[in-house]
Amino acid sequence: MSGNRLDQPRDRRRSLLPAYDPEAFGRFSEKIARFLGTGRFIVWMTVVIILWVVWNTSAPVHLRFDRYPFIFLTLMLSLQASYAAPLILLAQNRQDDRDRVNLEQDRKQNERSIADTEYLTREVAALRMGLGEVATRDWMRSELQDLLKEIEERRPREPDRER
């Protein structure tokens, strides 16, 4: 009796429902939603409706399949809309999920950038403080000039020699 063993996977349950790949179905719905949102779809739908109406008003009576109130055309448009709306919603939900993931990644990247910026700011401040204690070239020059003046002042003056 392998069904009670914990070290082995369970047998797959039989389902009366058809199996499908949700990812593949989602990609399919996105393709349809992208097509339904184009001008090409509107043009083709308009052409089909015009041909439908023209055929069912001007063709010989025995070849017409949808008489004047165009009930069958209304049914077909309703059927198309009843399938299009859920597919568009599914595609929007998938896009929302992708946007949510991208937003979370952007937020984490922004947090890392802020942390890096704060670290670099602290490092620059530490370097500035350290440089405040380092003798610069101008400071050394001014100190040497002061020492030279002091030496000149202490040195006894020699009388001017005449030639």
Side-chain angles (χ1 to χ4, degrees):
M1 193 184 245
S2 67
N4 294 333
R5 296 198 53 186
L6 296 177
D7 63 337
Q8 294 181 356
R10 289 185 175 174
D11 293 333
R12 293 195 69 172
R13 293 185 182 177
R14 305 282 183 224
S15 175
L16 297 177
L17 299 175
Y20 71 97
D21 180 12
E23 200 58 33
F25 189 74
R27 286 191 302 271
F28 174 73
S29 69
E30 286 175 344
K31 286 179 184 177
I32 293 204
R34 280 191 201 101
F35 176 68
L36 291 177
T38 63
R40 177 186 288 169
F41 171 75
I42 294 172
V43 167
W44 280 110
M45 188 63 121
T46 303
V47 167
V48 166
I49 291 172
I50 288 171
L51 289 175
W52 187 296
V53 170
V54 168
W55 179 263
N56 286 298
T57 55
S58 62
V61 175
H62 68 283
L63 294 177
R64 295 180 190 173
F65 56 88
D66 192 17
R67 303 216 185 261
Y68 167 63
F70 306 119
I71 302 296
F72 190 52
L73 175 63
T74 305
L75 175 67
M76 297 311 300
L77 290 175
S78 297
L79 183 65
Q80 182 267 334
S82 69
Y83 274 97
L87 290 174
I88 291 170
L89 288 175
L90 178 62
Q92 286 177 342
N93 289 340
R94 287 173 52 89
Q95 185 62 44
D96 287 344
D97 292 342
R98 281 193 298 272
D99 291 344
R100 192 176 306 109
V101 168
N102 288 338
L103 182 66
E104 182 65 23
Q105 289 173 347
D106 289 346
R107 187 187 62 76
K108 287 179 181 178
Q109 180 62 38
N110 287 342
E111 286 176 357
R112 284 192 298 270
S113 296
I114 289 170
D116 290 345
T117 303
E118 289 173 353
Y119 171 76
L120 291 174
T121 302
R122 287 191 300 273
E123 289 297 312
V124 168
L127 287 173
R128 284 185 178 170
M129 289 172 57
L131 282 177
E133 299 169 3
V134 173
T136 63
R137 184 181 63 188
D138 293 337
W139 182 81
M140 291 295 291
R141 184 177 291 144
S142 69
E143 288 295 315
L144 288 173
Q145 286 173 349
D146 291 344
L147 284 173
L148 184 62
K149 284 180 187 177
E150 191 177 318
I151 291 172
E152 287 177 357
E153 288 173 1
R154 288 185 182 176
R155 192 169 67 181
R157 298 226 178 230
E158 296 180 10
D160 289 334
R161 293 185 191 167
E162 291 188 31
R163 296 186 189 164

